[in-house]
Amino acid sequence: MAKIYSKKTVVTKNLKPKKEVVSFLLNYSKALTVVKTADKTFEMIAN
Amino acid sequence: MAHLNIPDALLVKNYVEGDENALASLIKRHESKIYGFIYSKVNDRDVSDDIFQDTFIKVIRTLKSNSYNEEGKFLPWVMRISHNLIVDYYRKNKKMPMHRETEEFSIFSIMSDNSLTIENQMILDQVEVDLKKLVAELPEDQKEVLIMRMYQDMSFKEISELTGVSINTALGRMRYALMNLRKIIEKHQIVLTN
């Protein structure tokens, strides 16, 4: 029988980020526009 | 969900072409795996949220700037980004480690308060009061040298100049003062401890 030295289970399942985080990312994506020119890249965030 | 059976590569392509819903699908599809991976490394929900967010900010910026080469490896690519951010997090934290209390780890196990407890402080105060009473019993010349040396932190040179005796005399008086104190303590069996 194997000895278990760790108290808690190592594998953490079904963890998800906060809804706010996902919502922020989706809004950030909608607001962000990237324009590439020959040698420069411009990022614009719409308010 | 409408995007349920669409492969990652197509969702990425759609997103690059302006379909914002494709990103929502990609996040929904992989959030558990990516977040779980981050959490397994940092063991902190708030930090995991931060790293997850930073990971997808990088993903969004890369995709929007058309710098991403689709090779059917969207998830490994995102995992690599989060892995790099985790490394950055630990590198940054090495300089200023932050510890959060968990069930198995008490923050007080690495923090110590070196100040005295109330009881020890009271004992120390009492010892100091008792000692002052003992010093008051000493002959005047010895008491003078002892107070200057111990309480006023003066050098024997300064003491000798101030009292008008030689340094050797001052040293001798100090020596006798200590011997007499010990004698009084032994005689009355006084316990001065903290």
Side-chain angles (χ1 to χ4, degrees):
Chain A
M1 184 98 171
K3 286 179 182 172
I4 296 166
Y5 292 101
S6 59
K7 276 187 197 165
K8 66 174 178 182
T9 51
V10 177
V11 182
T12 42
K13 282 178 182 170
N14 286 328
L15 277 172
K16 284 182 179 177
K18 279 187 200 145
K19 278 180 187 165
E20 293 89 335
V21 173
V22 177
S23 159
F24 166 81
L25 287 168
L26 295 176
N27 287 329
Y28 173 77
S29 168
K30 279 176 195 159
L32 181 73
T33 310
V34 180
V35 179
K36 265 190 161 181
T37 60
D39 57 345
K40 283 190 171 69
T41 304
F42 297 97
E43 287 184 5
M44 288 172 282
I45 305 267
N47 268 322
Chain B
M1 188 179 271
H3 291 134
L4 207 61
N5 296 318
I6 303 175
D8 286 352
L10 194 56
L11 284 174
V12 170
K13 187 171 168 286
N14 289 347
Y15 175 65
V16 171
E17 286 168 1
D19 179 9
E20 291 290 334
N21 289 329
L23 178 70
S25 301
L26 283 167
I27 292 177
K28 188 107 189 118
R29 186 177 289 175
H30 300 301
E31 62 180 359
S32 180
K33 207 172 253 179
I34 296 164
Y35 190 82
F37 168 71
I38 298 167
Y39 185 79
S40 72
K41 303 282 181 206
V42 299
N43 265 319
D44 185 301
R45 292 300 294 256
D46 291 334
V47 175
S48 300
D49 277 324
D50 284 351
I51 294 176
F52 182 88
Q53 182 172 303
D54 289 347
T55 302
F56 270 92
I57 284 176
K58 281 198 174 212
V59 169
I60 291 166
R61 289 167 79 173
T62 310
L63 292 180
K64 289 234 173 191
S65 63
N66 266 324
S67 313
Y68 173 67
N69 270 339
E70 174 55 54
E71 291 164 353
K73 288 177 181 171
F74 176 74
L75 184 61
W77 172 60
V78 181
M79 292 289 238
R80 171 58 53 185
I81 294 173
S82 61
H83 174 266
N84 290 341
L85 289 171
I86 292 164
V87 172
D88 287 350
Y89 164 75
Y90 275 110
R91 208 171 278 157
K92 199 167 66 185
N93 254 33
K94 213 174 176 183
K95 290 175 195 155
M96 195 190 285
M98 187 185 84
H99 299 284
R100 230 174 254 250
E101 182 146 326
T102 61
E103 266 179 43
E104 290 123 48
F105 168 71
S106 165
I107 192 76
F108 292 107
S109 67
I110 57 160
M111 280 172 70
S112 61
D113 182 6
N114 290 327
S115 60
L116 293 168
T117 60
I118 295 293
E119 189 189 357
N120 285 341
Q121 186 60 50
M122 285 171 78
I123 294 170
L124 184 68
D125 290 346
Q126 192 58 52
V127 168
E128 282 171 5
V129 169
D130 290 349
L131 197 58
K132 274 188 182 165
K133 281 181 193 164
L134 294 177
V135 170
E137 298 292 316
L138 290 171
E140 202 56 43
D141 54 347
Q142 293 169 22
K143 184 167 69 183
E144 187 183 42
V145 174
L146 186 132
I147 288 172
M148 283 179 180
R149 181 75 195 112
M150 303 310 290
Y151 291 97
Q152 292 164 8
D153 208 23
M154 291 166 74
S155 68
F156 281 105
K157 188 169 180 287
E158 289 168 328
I159 294 169
S160 74
E161 281 166 4
L162 214 72
T163 53
V165 295
S166 71
I167 290 179
N168 276 339
T169 308
L171 282 164
R173 284 177 182 174
M174 182 70 190
R175 184 166 168 268
Y176 279 110
L178 293 175
M179 281 164 62
N180 284 332
L181 273 179
R182 285 200 191 99
K183 267 187 205 164
I184 300 168
I185 289 166
E186 273 170 30
K187 189 179 167 191
H188 298 284
Q189 295 194 328
I190 300 164
V191 181
L192 295 168
T193 53
N194 186 18

mmCIF file of all heavy atoms in Angstrom, chain B residues 23-57:
data_model
loop_
_atom_site.group_PDB
_atom_site.id
_atom_site.type_symbol
_atom_site.label_atom_id
_atom_site.label_comp_id
_atom_site.label_asym_id
_atom_site.label_seq_id
_atom_site.Cartn_x
_atom_site.Cartn_y
_atom_site.Cartn_z
ATOM 1 N N LEU B 23 -13.743 33.938 -30.145
ATOM 2 C CA LEU B 23 -12.853 34.018 -28.981
ATOM 3 C C LEU B 23 -13.562 33.496 -27.732
ATOM 4 O O LEU B 23 -12.984 32.733 -26.947
ATOM 5 C CB LEU B 23 -12.400 35.464 -28.740
ATOM 6 C CG LEU B 23 -11.509 35.641 -27.522
ATOM 7 C CD1 LEU B 23 -10.138 35.024 -27.755
ATOM 8 C CD2 LEU B 23 -11.361 37.098 -27.134
ATOM 9 N N ALA B 24 -14.844 33.908 -27.590
ATOM 10 C CA ALA B 24 -15.615 33.431 -26.435
ATOM 11 C C ALA B 24 -15.656 31.912 -26.431
ATOM 12 O O ALA B 24 -15.517 31.272 -25.375
ATOM 13 C CB ALA B 24 -17.027 34.014 -26.490
ATOM 14 N N SER B 25 -15.813 31.318 -27.633
ATOM 15 C CA SER B 25 -15.855 29.848 -27.723
ATOM 16 C C SER B 25 -14.518 29.230 -27.359
ATOM 17 O O SER B 25 -14.450 28.222 -26.661
ATOM 18 C CB SER B 25 -16.239 29.419 -29.137
ATOM 19 O OG SER B 25 -17.491 29.960 -29.464
ATOM 20 N N LEU B 26 -13.459 29.846 -27.848
ATOM 21 C CA LEU B 26 -12.119 29.316 -27.545
ATOM 22 C C LEU B 26 -11.841 29.370 -26.043
ATOM 23 O O LEU B 26 -11.303 28.420 -25.464
ATOM 24 C CB LEU B 26 -11.049 30.128 -28.297
ATOM 25 C CG LEU B 26 -10.901 29.813 -29.786
ATOM 26 C CD1 LEU B 26 -10.057 30.875 -30.470
ATOM 27 C CD2 LEU B 26 -10.291 28.428 -29.992
ATOM 28 N N ILE B 27 -12.207 30.485 -25.425
ATOM 29 C CA ILE B 27 -11.981 30.619 -23.978
ATOM 30 C C ILE B 27 -12.818 29.574 -23.241
ATOM 31 O O ILE B 27 -12.327 28.870 -22.366
ATOM 32 C CB ILE B 27 -12.311 32.054 -23.492
ATOM 33 C CG1 ILE B 27 -11.300 33.050 -24.055
ATOM 34 C CG2 ILE B 27 -12.312 32.117 -21.966
ATOM 35 C CD1 ILE B 27 -11.567 34.502 -23.700
ATOM 36 N N LYS B 28 -14.084 29.489 -23.611
ATOM 37 C CA LYS B 28 -14.998 28.554 -22.955
ATOM 38 C C LYS B 28 -14.470 27.117 -23.067
ATOM 39 O O LYS B 28 -14.514 26.343 -22.128
ATOM 40 C CB LYS B 28 -16.379 28.668 -23.618
ATOM 41 C CG LYS B 28 -17.465 27.912 -22.923
ATOM 42 C CD LYS B 28 -18.396 28.909 -22.213
ATOM 43 C CE LYS B 28 -19.377 28.169 -21.334
ATOM 44 N NZ LYS B 28 -19.219 28.508 -19.942
ATOM 45 N N ARG B 29 -13.952 26.800 -24.237
ATOM 46 C CA ARG B 29 -13.486 25.434 -24.506
ATOM 47 C C ARG B 29 -12.256 25.078 -23.671
ATOM 48 O O ARG B 29 -12.115 23.962 -23.204
ATOM 49 C CB ARG B 29 -13.173 25.298 -25.999
ATOM 50 C CG ARG B 29 -12.810 23.883 -26.414
ATOM 51 C CD ARG B 29 -12.583 23.812 -27.907
ATOM 52 N NE ARG B 29 -13.822 23.947 -28.671
ATOM 53 C CZ ARG B 29 -13.874 24.020 -30.005
ATOM 54 N NH1 ARG B 29 -12.748 23.989 -30.705
ATOM 55 N NH2 ARG B 29 -15.016 24.130 -30.631
ATOM 56 N N HIS B 30 -11.359 26.036 -23.498
ATOM 57 C CA HIS B 30 -10.065 25.713 -22.883
ATOM 58 C C HIS B 30 -9.842 26.316 -21.498
ATOM 59 O O HIS B 30 -8.799 26.075 -20.898
ATOM 60 C CB HIS B 30 -8.933 26.168 -23.807
ATOM 61 C CG HIS B 30 -8.965 25.509 -25.154
ATOM 62 N ND1 HIS B 30 -8.881 24.145 -25.306
ATOM 63 C CD2 HIS B 30 -9.092 26.017 -26.409
ATOM 64 C CE1 HIS B 30 -8.930 23.840 -26.590
ATOM 65 N NE2 HIS B 30 -9.084 24.951 -27.280
ATOM 66 N N GLU B 31 -10.790 27.112 -21.007
ATOM 67 C CA GLU B 31 -10.537 27.850 -19.763
ATOM 68 C C GLU B 31 -10.198 26.920 -18.600
ATOM 69 O O GLU B 31 -9.275 27.200 -17.823
ATOM 70 C CB GLU B 31 -11.723 28.757 -19.401
ATOM 71 C CG GLU B 31 -13.020 28.014 -19.132
ATOM 72 C CD GLU B 31 -14.180 28.935 -18.772
ATOM 73 O OE1 GLU B 31 -13.983 30.160 -18.716
ATOM 74 O OE2 GLU B 31 -15.284 28.404 -18.554
ATOM 75 N N SER B 32 -10.937 25.816 -18.521
ATOM 76 C CA SER B 32 -10.736 24.909 -17.397
ATOM 77 C C SER B 32 -9.330 24.306 -17.407
ATOM 78 O O SER B 32 -8.645 24.244 -16.389
ATOM 79 C CB SER B 32 -11.799 23.821 -17.438
ATOM 80 O OG SER B 32 -11.626 22.953 -16.375
ATOM 81 N N LYS B 33 -8.915 23.882 -18.595
ATOM 82 C CA LYS B 33 -7.596 23.251 -18.737
ATOM 83 C C LYS B 33 -6.474 24.247 -18.445
ATOM 84 O O LYS B 33 -5.533 23.952 -17.704
ATOM 85 C CB LYS B 33 -7.466 22.703 -20.160
ATOM 86 C CG LYS B 33 -6.515 21.537 -20.248
ATOM 87 C CD LYS B 33 -6.573 20.902 -21.614
ATOM 88 C CE LYS B 33 -7.277 19.566 -21.566
ATOM 89 N NZ LYS B 33 -7.382 18.933 -22.878
ATOM 90 N N ILE B 34 -6.601 25.432 -19.022
ATOM 91 C CA ILE B 34 -5.543 26.436 -18.862
ATOM 92 C C ILE B 34 -5.509 26.948 -17.418
ATOM 93 O O ILE B 34 -4.455 27.025 -16.787
ATOM 94 C CB ILE B 34 -5.749 27.607 -19.860
ATOM 95 C CG1 ILE B 34 -5.611 27.085 -21.290
ATOM 96 C CG2 ILE B 34 -4.749 28.718 -19.601
ATOM 97 C CD1 ILE B 34 -6.162 28.016 -22.343
ATOM 98 N N TYR B 35 -6.702 27.255 -16.907
ATOM 99 C CA TYR B 35 -6.764 27.786 -15.536
ATOM 100 C C TYR B 35 -6.280 26.736 -14.530
ATOM 101 O O TYR B 35 -5.542 27.049 -13.605
ATOM 102 C CB TYR B 35 -8.195 28.211 -15.210
ATOM 103 C CG TYR B 35 -8.313 28.981 -13.922
ATOM 104 C CD1 TYR B 35 -8.046 30.348 -13.892
ATOM 105 C CD2 TYR B 35 -8.685 28.356 -12.744
ATOM 106 C CE1 TYR B 35 -8.132 31.065 -12.719
ATOM 107 C CE2 TYR B 35 -8.780 29.065 -11.568
ATOM 108 C CZ TYR B 35 -8.511 30.416 -11.558
ATOM 109 O OH TYR B 35 -8.603 31.121 -10.390
ATOM 110 N N GLY B 36 -6.687 25.489 -14.754
ATOM 111 C CA GLY B 36 -6.254 24.392 -13.878
ATOM 112 C C GLY B 36 -4.743 24.219 -13.888
ATOM 113 O O GLY B 36 -4.116 23.998 -12.855
ATOM 114 N N PHE B 37 -4.176 24.373 -15.096
ATOM 115 C CA PHE B 37 -2.720 24.271 -15.235
ATOM 116 C C PHE B 37 -2.030 25.374 -14.440
ATOM 117 O O PHE B 37 -1.083 25.122 -13.676
ATOM 118 C CB PHE B 37 -2.358 24.360 -16.726
ATOM 119 C CG PHE B 37 -0.893 24.548 -16.996
ATOM 120 C CD1 PHE B 37 0.001 23.513 -16.784
ATOM 121 C CD2 PHE B 37 -0.412 25.768 -17.449
ATOM 122 C CE1 PHE B 37 1.360 23.685 -17.034
ATOM 123 C CE2 PHE B 37 0.946 25.946 -17.698
ATOM 124 C CZ PHE B 37 1.826 24.902 -17.486
ATOM 125 N N ILE B 38 -2.541 26.588 -14.579
ATOM 126 C CA ILE B 38 -1.931 27.721 -13.865
ATOM 127 C C ILE B 38 -2.078 27.526 -12.353
ATOM 128 O O ILE B 38 -1.125 27.675 -11.593
ATOM 129 C CB ILE B 38 -2.580 29.069 -14.299
ATOM 130 C CG1 ILE B 38 -2.354 29.310 -15.790
ATOM 131 C CG2 ILE B 38 -2.018 30.225 -13.489
ATOM 132 C CD1 ILE B 38 -3.201 30.427 -16.379
ATOM 133 N N TYR B 39 -3.293 27.142 -11.956
ATOM 134 C CA TYR B 39 -3.550 26.977 -10.521
ATOM 135 C C TYR B 39 -2.664 25.886 -9.915
ATOM 136 O O TYR B 39 -2.191 26.000 -8.787
ATOM 137 C CB TYR B 39 -5.025 26.668 -10.275
ATOM 138 C CG TYR B 39 -5.370 26.601 -8.798
ATOM 139 C CD1 TYR B 39 -5.557 27.769 -8.067
ATOM 140 C CD2 TYR B 39 -5.472 25.379 -8.142
ATOM 141 C CE1 TYR B 39 -5.843 27.724 -6.715
ATOM 142 C CE2 TYR B 39 -5.758 25.318 -6.788
ATOM 143 C CZ TYR B 39 -5.941 26.494 -6.086
ATOM 144 O OH TYR B 39 -6.204 26.441 -4.737
ATOM 145 N N SER B 40 -2.426 24.818 -10.694
ATOM 146 C CA SER B 40 -1.595 23.727 -10.182
ATOM 147 C C SER B 40 -0.169 24.197 -9.925
ATOM 148 O O SER B 40 0.558 23.601 -9.142
ATOM 149 C CB SER B 40 -1.591 22.559 -11.157
ATOM 150 O OG SER B 40 -0.827 22.885 -12.300
ATOM 151 N N LYS B 41 0.229 25.277 -10.581
ATOM 152 C CA LYS B 41 1.595 25.792 -10.401
ATOM 153 C C LYS B 41 1.679 26.864 -9.319
ATOM 154 O O LYS B 41 2.674 26.945 -8.609
ATOM 155 C CB LYS B 41 2.121 26.409 -11.715
ATOM 156 C CG LYS B 41 2.108 25.467 -12.883
ATOM 157 C CD LYS B 41 3.267 24.488 -12.827
ATOM 158 C CE LYS B 41 3.248 23.574 -14.028
ATOM 159 N NZ LYS B 41 3.899 22.301 -13.782
ATOM 160 N N VAL B 42 0.649 27.708 -9.223
ATOM 161 C CA VAL B 42 0.773 28.840 -8.295
ATOM 162 C C VAL B 42 -0.063 28.686 -7.018
ATOM 163 O O VAL B 42 0.208 29.370 -6.026
ATOM 164 C CB VAL B 42 0.434 30.194 -8.969
ATOM 165 C CG1 VAL B 42 1.385 30.473 -10.106
ATOM 166 C CG2 VAL B 42 -1.006 30.238 -9.459
ATOM 167 N N ASN B 43 -1.054 27.785 -7.066
ATOM 168 C CA ASN B 43 -1.856 27.509 -5.862
ATOM 169 C C ASN B 43 -2.522 28.724 -5.250
ATOM 170 O O ASN B 43 -2.584 28.862 -4.026
ATOM 171 C CB ASN B 43 -0.978 26.843 -4.798
ATOM 172 C CG ASN B 43 -1.101 25.344 -4.872
ATOM 173 O OD1 ASN B 43 -2.190 24.815 -5.056
ATOM 174 N ND2 ASN B 43 0.019 24.673 -4.755
ATOM 175 N N ASP B 44 -2.938 29.611 -6.068
ATOM 176 C CA ASP B 44 -3.602 30.802 -5.544
ATOM 177 C C ASP B 44 -4.611 31.272 -6.579
ATOM 178 O O ASP B 44 -4.255 31.515 -7.741
ATOM 179 C CB ASP B 44 -2.545 31.879 -5.284
ATOM 180 C CG ASP B 44 -3.134 33.124 -4.625
ATOM 181 O OD1 ASP B 44 -4.039 33.764 -5.203
ATOM 182 O OD2 ASP B 44 -2.684 33.452 -3.529
ATOM 183 N N ARG B 45 -5.862 31.388 -6.163
ATOM 184 C CA ARG B 45 -6.920 31.716 -7.122
ATOM 185 C C ARG B 45 -6.721 33.094 -7.751
ATOM 186 O O ARG B 45 -6.887 33.266 -8.958
ATOM 187 C CB ARG B 45 -8.304 31.672 -6.437
ATOM 188 C CG ARG B 45 -8.781 30.291 -6.007
ATOM 189 C CD ARG B 45 -8.914 29.321 -7.166
ATOM 190 N NE ARG B 45 -9.960 29.684 -8.118
ATOM 191 C CZ ARG B 45 -11.140 29.091 -8.211
ATOM 192 N NH1 ARG B 45 -11.444 28.088 -7.412
ATOM 193 N NH2 ARG B 45 -12.021 29.465 -9.104
ATOM 194 N N ASP B 46 -6.386 34.055 -6.919
ATOM 195 C CA ASP B 46 -6.237 35.425 -7.445
ATOM 196 C C ASP B 46 -5.076 35.532 -8.428
ATOM 197 O O ASP B 46 -5.208 36.156 -9.485
ATOM 198 C CB ASP B 46 -6.043 36.422 -6.290
ATOM 199 C CG ASP B 46 -7.316 36.563 -5.469
ATOM 200 O OD1 ASP B 46 -8.397 36.327 -6.045
ATOM 201 O OD2 ASP B 46 -7.229 36.889 -4.277
ATOM 202 N N VAL B 47 -3.969 34.918 -8.052
ATOM 203 C CA VAL B 47 -2.801 34.952 -8.949
ATOM 204 C C VAL B 47 -3.128 34.201 -10.240
ATOM 205 O O VAL B 47 -2.765 34.638 -11.338
ATOM 206 C CB VAL B 47 -1.560 34.334 -8.251
ATOM 207 C CG1 VAL B 47 -0.392 34.258 -9.220
ATOM 208 C CG2 VAL B 47 -1.169 35.147 -7.032
ATOM 209 N N SER B 48 -3.840 33.074 -10.102
ATOM 210 C CA SER B 48 -4.231 32.306 -11.294
ATOM 211 C C SER B 48 -5.105 33.154 -12.219
ATOM 212 O O SER B 48 -4.925 33.129 -13.443
ATOM 213 C CB SER B 48 -5.001 31.044 -10.888
ATOM 214 O OG SER B 48 -4.210 30.244 -10.072
ATOM 215 N N ASP B 49 -6.036 33.889 -11.623
ATOM 216 C CA ASP B 49 -6.882 34.771 -12.444
ATOM 217 C C ASP B 49 -6.037 35.786 -13.195
ATOM 218 O O ASP B 49 -6.264 36.045 -14.384
ATOM 219 C CB ASP B 49 -7.897 35.499 -11.548
ATOM 220 C CG ASP B 49 -9.120 34.634 -11.267
ATOM 221 O OD1 ASP B 49 -9.534 33.901 -12.171
ATOM 222 O OD2 ASP B 49 -9.641 34.680 -10.137
ATOM 223 N N ASP B 50 -5.070 36.361 -12.470
ATOM 224 C CA ASP B 50 -4.199 37.371 -13.099
ATOM 225 C C ASP B 50 -3.415 36.772 -14.268
ATOM 226 O O ASP B 50 -3.340 37.374 -15.341
ATOM 227 C CB ASP B 50 -3.204 37.937 -12.069
ATOM 228 C CG ASP B 50 -3.878 38.914 -11.124
ATOM 229 O OD1 ASP B 50 -5.044 39.265 -11.378
ATOM 230 O OD2 ASP B 50 -3.238 39.309 -10.133
ATOM 231 N N ILE B 51 -2.844 35.600 -14.025
ATOM 232 C CA ILE B 51 -2.013 34.990 -15.073
ATOM 233 C C ILE B 51 -2.882 34.549 -16.251
ATOM 234 O O ILE B 51 -2.512 34.709 -17.414
ATOM 235 C CB ILE B 51 -1.175 33.814 -14.500
ATOM 236 C CG1 ILE B 51 -0.154 34.364 -13.495
ATOM 237 C CG2 ILE B 51 -0.464 33.055 -15.614
ATOM 238 C CD1 ILE B 51 0.672 33.315 -12.791
ATOM 239 N N PHE B 52 -4.066 34.026 -15.933
ATOM 240 C CA PHE B 52 -5.001 33.632 -16.989
ATOM 241 C C PHE B 52 -5.352 34.854 -17.858
ATOM 242 O O PHE B 52 -5.339 34.793 -19.091
ATOM 243 C CB PHE B 52 -6.269 33.046 -16.356
ATOM 244 C CG PHE B 52 -7.281 32.562 -17.347
ATOM 245 C CD1 PHE B 52 -7.231 31.271 -17.845
ATOM 246 C CD2 PHE B 52 -8.293 33.402 -17.800
ATOM 247 C CE1 PHE B 52 -8.170 30.814 -18.768
ATOM 248 C CE2 PHE B 52 -9.234 32.960 -18.715
ATOM 249 C CZ PHE B 52 -9.169 31.667 -19.198
ATOM 250 N N GLN B 53 -5.627 35.948 -17.190
ATOM 251 C CA GLN B 53 -5.982 37.170 -17.912
ATOM 252 C C GLN B 53 -4.822 37.645 -18.786
ATOM 253 O O GLN B 53 -5.005 37.954 -19.967
ATOM 254 C CB GLN B 53 -6.369 38.254 -16.901
ATOM 255 C CG GLN B 53 -6.815 39.552 -17.555
ATOM 256 C CD GLN B 53 -7.373 40.523 -16.538
ATOM 257 O OE1 GLN B 53 -8.315 40.210 -15.821
ATOM 258 N NE2 GLN B 53 -6.778 41.691 -16.465
ATOM 259 N N ASP B 54 -3.626 37.678 -18.201
ATOM 260 C CA ASP B 54 -2.455 38.128 -18.963
ATOM 261 C C ASP B 54 -2.172 37.204 -20.148
ATOM 262 O O ASP B 54 -1.756 37.665 -21.214
ATOM 263 C CB ASP B 54 -1.218 38.184 -18.055
ATOM 264 C CG ASP B 54 -1.307 39.335 -17.067
ATOM 265 O OD1 ASP B 54 -2.181 40.192 -17.251
ATOM 266 O OD2 ASP B 54 -0.513 39.357 -16.100
ATOM 267 N N THR B 55 -2.414 35.912 -19.930
ATOM 268 C CA THR B 55 -2.207 34.950 -21.007
ATOM 269 C C THR B 55 -3.092 35.299 -22.196
ATOM 270 O O THR B 55 -2.623 35.409 -23.335
ATOM 271 C CB THR B 55 -2.550 33.523 -20.525
ATOM 272 O OG1 THR B 55 -1.735 33.209 -19.406
ATOM 273 C CG2 THR B 55 -2.315 32.490 -21.620
ATOM 274 N N PHE B 56 -4.379 35.514 -21.918
ATOM 275 C CA PHE B 56 -5.295 35.776 -23.033
ATOM 276 C C PHE B 56 -5.129 37.172 -23.617
ATOM 277 O O PHE B 56 -5.440 37.383 -24.795
ATOM 278 C CB PHE B 56 -6.749 35.480 -22.626
ATOM 279 C CG PHE B 56 -7.106 34.050 -22.921
ATOM 280 C CD1 PHE B 56 -6.955 33.074 -21.964
ATOM 281 C CD2 PHE B 56 -7.533 33.670 -24.189
ATOM 282 C CE1 PHE B 56 -7.240 31.745 -22.249
ATOM 283 C CE2 PHE B 56 -7.823 32.344 -24.495
ATOM 284 C CZ PHE B 56 -7.672 31.377 -23.519
ATOM 285 N N ILE B 57 -4.619 38.090 -22.818
ATOM 286 C CA ILE B 57 -4.313 39.404 -23.397
ATOM 287 C C ILE B 57 -3.233 39.226 -24.468
ATOM 288 O O ILE B 57 -3.314 39.783 -25.563
ATOM 289 C CB ILE B 57 -3.881 40.408 -22.303
ATOM 290 C CG1 ILE B 57 -5.129 40.868 -21.527
ATOM 291 C CG2 ILE B 57 -3.160 41.619 -22.899
ATOM 292 C CD1 ILE B 57 -4.866 41.769 -20.366
#
